[in-house]
Amino acid sequence: MGRKPSSKPTSFDIAYLAGVSQPTVSRALRGSRSVSLATRERIEAIARELNYSVDKNASSLRSQRSNTIALLFFEEQTPDESKINPFFLAMLGSITRSCANRGLDLLISFQKMEDDWHVRYQDSHRADGLILLGYGDYTLYEKRLTELVGHETHFVRWGSVRADNIGATVGSDNVGAGRLAGEHLIAQGRRRIAFLGQADDHYPEFADRYRGLCDVLTEAGIAADPALQINAISYEDAGQRAAEQLLASGAAFDAIFAASDLIAIGALRALTTAGRTVPDDIAIVGFDDQPGASMTNPPLTTLSQDLKGAGELLVETLLAQIEDRPVSNRTIPARLIVRKSSCR
C-alpha cells in the first residue's frame, strides 16, 4: 500500500515520491554535496510541486550536533578475558587525544558482532558518528556496514583499504607492508618464506599482507609455495598451532612472516620447543610492533603501524562526513622495525 500524503506535506512525503530516504531529502534541501545533482534536482522539483517549505526551527533542531562521537570496539577471539585486540587498545590513546584537540567528547562502547549495535546507534542521537575498530570475520561484518550505508549513518572503520570498500575506511598499506617484510627476508638470504595468517576474504588485511609477500617473491624469481601458507587468526595459541602444523608438514622453510605479532610470538614458542633456533635456522617477522614484540627472545622484527596518524585520520574522516565535506579512503604506510629475530 502506498504512503497516504499528509494534509501538510513533509519530507517523508517527498522521500516516498522521490524513492529515497528522508535523510537524503533533508540533505538535498540543505544543498549538501553528498547528494548527487540529479537526485537533488528531482527532490527540489517534488518539493516545489507539493508547495513544501522547510520548517526552519525543526530543521535547526534536527541538525544540532551532540559534539560526541562513538568509538565501538568489537569482540574478538583472544586467549584472555579482554576479547579486544591489543593493537586497538594502543590506538585508543591517539583517538582520544584527537577528539580532545577538537573539543569532541568520545563515547566508548564494547560490542558483540551478533548484537544489533548498528540499529541502536543509527536510530539514536547519542553520537554524531561512529568509529569502528575490530571485526573478526569480515564476511559477517560487511552486512552490518551495508546497513549503516543504507541508513546514511556517518561512520569510518579501520581495516583493509580496497576499491570495493563499504563506507569510509582508514587503514595501513598492508600490501606495501608485505612487500617490506619479503624484501627484508630475501635480503637476509631467505628463500623459503612461510606465511602464518588466514589470507582470504574472511581476513582481508591478512590477505593483503600475504599478497605483498607473494609479489616480492615473484619479482625475485621465487615461486610462492601454497604449502607454506598456514591459516591462523591473531592470538598466540593460533600462531603456535600454525607453526606446529608447518613443522609437521615436512615442508622446507627458512623464514616466517606472521600476519600479527601475536601469531609470531606463538610461532616462536613452537620453534623453540621443536629445537629450531631463531634466527639461525628460521627468521621471523611479525606485524603491529606491540609492546611485547621487543621483549621476546630474540626480540621480534616487525612492521610498525602509525597509531598517532591512524587516530588523527579516523577522527578527521568522520568529521568530514558529519560536516558534508568530501571524504576519501586513506592508507598509512607501515615501517619495518628490524630486530634480532630476522638477522643472523
Side-chain angles (χ1 to χ4, degrees):
M1 181 181 294
R3 177 182 176 86
K4 183 179 180 181
S6 310
S7 56
K8 180 180 179 181
T10 69
S11 60
F12 289 96
D13 297 322
I14 298 172
Y16 172 74
L17 293 171
V20 298
S21 67
Q22 187 274 337
T24 298
V25 170
S26 297
R27 288 206 303 274
L29 295 179
R30 292 200 310 268
S32 170
R33 290 173 294 178
S34 65
V35 181
S36 71
L37 178 60
T39 300
R40 192 162 68 242
E41 289 177 343
R42 185 169 76 253
I43 289 170
E44 289 170 348
I46 294 171
R48 287 193 297 271
E49 184 180 342
L50 294 179
N51 293 318
Y52 174 81
S53 60
V54 177
D55 183 335
K56 298 294 184 182
N57 291 329
S59 178
S60 175
L61 182 61
R62 283 194 301 270
S63 64
Q64 283 182 350
R65 285 170 49 183
S66 66
N67 286 321
T68 298
I69 62 176
L71 172 62
L72 273 59
F73 286 103
F74 292 101
E75 182 177 283
E76 295 190 42
Q77 189 172 0
T78 60
D80 58 20
E81 294 300 316
S82 71
K83 301 299 181 184
I84 299 177
N85 188 318
F87 170 73
F88 295 124
L89 290 176
M91 192 185 288
L92 174 60
S94 64
I95 293 173
T96 302
R97 283 192 299 274
S98 182
C99 288
N101 290 338
R102 291 169 169 82
L104 298 171
D105 291 325
L106 183 65
L107 173 65
I108 300 173
S109 183
F110 185 59
Q111 305 289 333
K112 292 184 177 180
M113 187 55 66
E114 62 270 21
D115 290 345
D116 289 332
W117 53 269
H118 58 303
V119 174
R120 288 199 300 273
Y121 280 89
Q122 69 200 15
D123 290 342
S124 74
H125 298 288
R126 286 184 287 174
D128 299 319
L130 312 177
I131 294 177
L132 311 178
L133 297 183
Y135 52 83
D137 187 334
Y138 182 75
T139 61
L140 302 177
Y141 183 52
E142 60 184 348
K143 178 184 176 183
R144 300 299 178 88
L145 297 181
T146 300
E147 291 172 347
L148 287 179
V149 171
H151 286 83
E152 301 178 327
T153 302
H154 298 131
F155 76 93
V156 60
R157 55 177 287 268
W158 175 266
S160 175
V161 179
R162 295 182 170 185
D164 60 351
N165 279 144
I166 301 171
T169 305
V170 174
S172 283
D173 178 4
N174 291 292
V175 175
R179 293 186 62 90
L180 286 175
E183 289 166 353
H184 170 69
L185 290 169
I186 290 171
Q188 299 301 311
R190 311 293 176 162
R191 292 296 182 271
R192 298 282 296 171
I193 304 173
F195 181 83
L196 305 186
Q198 189 164 337
D200 55 25
D201 290 342
H202 295 273
Y203 292 84
E205 289 166 287
F206 287 7
D208 285 348
R209 292 165 199 173
Y210 182 50
R211 179 157 61 92
L213 171 65
C214 290
D215 288 347
V216 167
L217 290 173
T218 300
E219 292 167 9
I222 304 169
D225 186 349
L228 297 182
Q229 187 271 311
I230 307 294
N231 283 345
I233 56 177
S234 194
Y235 63 98
E236 290 181 27
D237 288 350
Q240 180 172 348
R241 288 195 298 270
E244 289 169 347
Q245 180 181 339
L246 182 62
L247 289 165
S249 72
F253 66 100
D254 57 10
I256 290 174
F257 174 32
S260 76
D261 286 348
L262 294 179
I263 293 173
I265 291 169
L268 179 60
R269 183 190 306 150
L271 293 174
T272 300
T273 301
R276 303 289 186 95
T277 60
V278 176
D280 293 339
D281 296 334
I282 311 293
I284 298 183
V285 174
F287 194 102
D288 284 337
D289 195 25
Q290 294 184 6
S294 63
M295 296 183 285
T296 58
N297 185 23
L300 184 65
T301 293
T302 186
L303 279 301
S304 174
Q305 303 185 82
D306 180 3
L307 296 180
K308 182 177 185 298
E312 287 283 340
L313 281 179
L314 285 165
V315 174
E316 173 54 33
T317 301
L318 182 57
L319 277 179
Q321 287 185 59
I322 293 168
E323 296 170 358
D324 281 332
R325 291 186 278 117
V327 175
S328 60
N329 294 334
R330 303 291 294 274
T331 301
I332 305 173
R335 182 167 59 97
L336 181 67
I337 307 295
V338 178
R339 300 190 180 106
K340 185 63 178 174
S341 71
S342 63
C343 302
R344 290 189 180 95

